[in-house]
Amino acid sequence: MRHASLALALLLALAGALLPSAARALEAVRVGLDAQAIDLTPAIERYRSDGDLIQISTAPGKDGIVRRIAVKARETGARPDWIVFALTNDTDEQIDRLLVAPHFRLVGSGIVWPDLGGSRIAAITASQGIRPERDESPDADQFTVTLDPGTTVTFVAELRTPNVPQLYLWDQDAYRKKATGLTLYKGIIIGIAGLLALFLTVVFVVKGAIIFPAAAALAWSVLAYTCIDFGFFQRIFPVTEAAERIYRASAEAVLGATLLVFLFAYLNLARWHVRYSHVALLWLIFLAGLVALAVVDPPVAAGVARISIATVAGVGLLLVVYLAAHNGYDRAILLIPTWLLLTAWVVAAGFAITGQLRNDLVQPALIGGLVLIVMLIGFTVLQHAFAGGGIGTAVVSDTERRALALTGAGDVVFDWDVPGDRVFAGPEIESQLGLKRGALEGPAANWLALLHPFDVDRYSAALDTVIEERRGRICQDFRLRAAAGPYYWFRLKARPVIGADGEVIRIVGTIADVTEVKIAEERLLHDAVHDNLTGLPNRELFNDRLDAALTLAAQDPRLKPTVFVLDIDRFKQVNDAIGLSAGDSILLTLSRRLGRLLRPQDTLARIAGDEFAVILVSERDPDRIIAFADMIRRAITTPITYADREIFLTPSIGVVLHETGSSLKRDQVFKNAEIAMIQAKRQGGDRIEVYRPTMRADRGDRLLLEGDLRRALERNEIKVLFQPIVRLEDRTVAGFEALLRWDHPKHGRIPPQTFIPVAEESGLIVDLGVFALERTAAELAAWQQALVVEPPLFASVNVSSRQLLRHDLLHDVKTVLARTGVAPGSLKLELTESLVMENPEYAAQMLARIAELGAGLSLDDFGTGYSALAYLQRFPFDTIKIDQSFVRQMANGRSVILRSIVRMAQELGLEIVAEGAETEADAQALAELGCDYAQGFAFGEPMSIHQARQLVGAAPAAA
């Protein structure tokens, strides 16, 4: 043990020889119980280490022994600055104090390269006792220090910056009271500064003289400086320390600039000498450069700004006194008291930043004084706010009244001396156009060079007509070219003046600038024929351009305009899923993509919500036209990223190729393109269909079919057939799937794949779905009453997308279940996987409520749609139906997917129905895989109600 102690001592001695150390022991500062605040700044010792480790001699303890401690920096290899101080507690009670090092302190910050603040202390290490804990504060580095009774503790602080302007040890309650008092004071000062800035801004709005915006700008800059200095801005908008220094330096530069602008504007220095304006302008440019410099080097910018503020105050005082004494300028006389107070404030601020005034209240007092000075400036400005005189109440003549009205209207006088051919127009137009003085005076022909080429003839004809007719009134709009190039619209209102000989001797009137009115008219005209969302031509403009294209094609055989109509498939579901605003963004993206495919002579228009149309003139070859249609399809099918998700869209495109010699009108061509587009949509979408005359006949047949379908329910032409579903365990009938068939009186039995799409498009699918639901539930109730078996027979009914989107579906299911009294869960609603995943959130809510009503839920065609397995657990399905395609693959020895689906369903506790069991071998294989039920031609084709009752052994009854 002795050898180990000796080795440790030698190691410490060697470390002391290699590391920098204090040359003398510290003097500890006594901390008493009654001391509320102790300034430790004079007691700290500063060190600069050569490495990341420093060894310090501690203050002598109670036993008089001076010890040495080694402190390592937080980052290896760093060479930070350090401060060391010692505190002693000679009382018999534990003392808790708050060590505070403010981030920014105006006092002692300096003039050149001033200290703009920042975090001072990175970490503090105590030689003994409890480790100091940091208290989070936006204004200062605060640490809670605990001194045990009768101890002397040496503290070593690692610094973030070389300078620590102030270090105080506070009683926590005293510091809290001080902070509360200062917070109240700061709030009052900020409130006064804000009200003052708003008030001067209101005065500026009411009175537009230059002194009012200058005073308002000064008030706002003082408000900004106050908010930053008091930390109010940093609390509302949290910023980094580097950004805070930039804002502080910029605020001081802006304060100097607005002070200069106010002095120049208030004294109206341009009135006295033009050199004042040049000096002030250069000074302002220099101060504006300081704001840019603040981003690069805030201390330099702040130092120059402080010198500039002092210079403005000093030079301003001399200038005010000079103008008041030598010129008797009343504004200068009124400004003397305020400027003297400003000069005194600058002197006090100079004493503070140089460290000659060190009290903690100096900084908030200076800010309060600055706000007071701005208030006095506001009072000085107010006496000028409403001092201007207006038109007196004296009686004015009719001529004077006309002149005043002309001035109030803002119009410019136009006077043409016809015999002398000399035009006079007010200089306001020349100034607006950037022309030389007198450019619009002289012969009337001088105006022709400035008129827009389209307006020359109308302008000349209007003047000539008045002269020839010797009567009339001119109200003419025309455009004049400015020196910079653009044209401005003007409106001339004039009348002729007839001389004694009956000839026109003058044409007099007014000219008014109507550029904004014309722009508004053009915007209204543009909006009338363009889509508000995408800016593309709307249907009206598209029809006009199609008329023009067809007319030109009839005259020129080389022109072969092709018309495309394209519609986005299932765009309504996209809107329902992600919202209308997102849908608008997608349409805007699609319009830009399509626009990049066209040439200038082609037209892209938005016809309806998600329907676009194209007139293609730049291509004539049919192969290239079809290739262009494929480019459109690929542009739309490219995924669109929105809110971290990809949206996949497909279009249905109808194309009408131009035939030479065709006499089709615009409406017929567009209708044909729509028919081709509808045909593409019927084929499943994401297709391009070229119009063929047979499509129109097909469409007529569909219209007739739709009309017959509307009357089919009334005529009892729709039948419900039942296909058996067999339990594979014992080959007994477990239930049925309800299928709709249409026995047409003329065409015989129409298959579902023919009339179901027509019902979907027309909305008749809802009535068909309710009919199937009621008939199936009634028959199921009859089966269950005749056959008491466990589990009871079940029946499933298909549900379409239109039914699922209707809230009436809940009412229909509830009514049918209450009326028939079928066993809970035995009436199953079948929904396809793709239908559920169109809007999974809405579907989950609807299915949960349907399950609560007592209906069963079956997921049809599982594995052929989205296969979103993660969603499967969210939906309250009790049965899944495996698509027949997987059963057919089983016959080829590929049953891996089918086996996985069965295993997953079993783990989820779902019953399994396999579709497409054609043979006994299929049924046996499905049973071995673990399927519960199967349906297919091996167990029977769809049958009538009577056949189904005979199959299950129920007594036959009338349908």
Side-chain angles (χ1 to χ4, degrees), residues 206-230:
V206 175
K207 286 291 199 177
I210 191 173
I211 60 172
F212 306 119
L218 177 60
W220 283 109
S221 66
V222 169
L223 175 61
Y225 180 81
T226 303
C227 291
I228 294 174
D229 195 85
F230 282 170

Side-chain angles (χ1 to χ4, degrees), residues 773 776-777 780 784 793-797 813 816-817 820 822-829 854-857:
L773 189 66
T776 304
L780 179 61
Q784 292 177 355
L793 290 173
F794 64 84
S796 58
V797 183
V813 173
V816 167
L817 292 177
T820 59
V822 297
S826 61
L827 179 62
K828 298 179 181 293
L829 303 185
L857 293 171

Side-chain angles (χ1 to χ4, degrees), residues 828 857-859 862 869 871-882 901-913 930-933:
K828 298 179 181 293
L857 293 171
S858 177
L859 183 61
F862 183 78
L869 304 180
Y871 277 94
L872 192 56
Q873 300 184 42
R874 297 182 52 191
F875 300 128
F877 288 108
D878 51 60
T879 305
I880 64 171
K881 298 188 72 173
I882 300 175
I901 294 175
V902 171
R903 186 180 301 112
M904 180 198 66
Q906 290 173 344
E907 292 179 357
L908 294 176
L910 302 176
E911 295 182 336
I912 307 168
V913 178
C931 292
D932 302 305
Y933 308 98

Side-chain angles (χ1 to χ4, degrees), residues 502-513:
E503 297 295 329
V504 176
I505 59 174
R506 306 187 84 87
I507 295 179
V508 294
T510 60
I511 298 179
D513 182 7

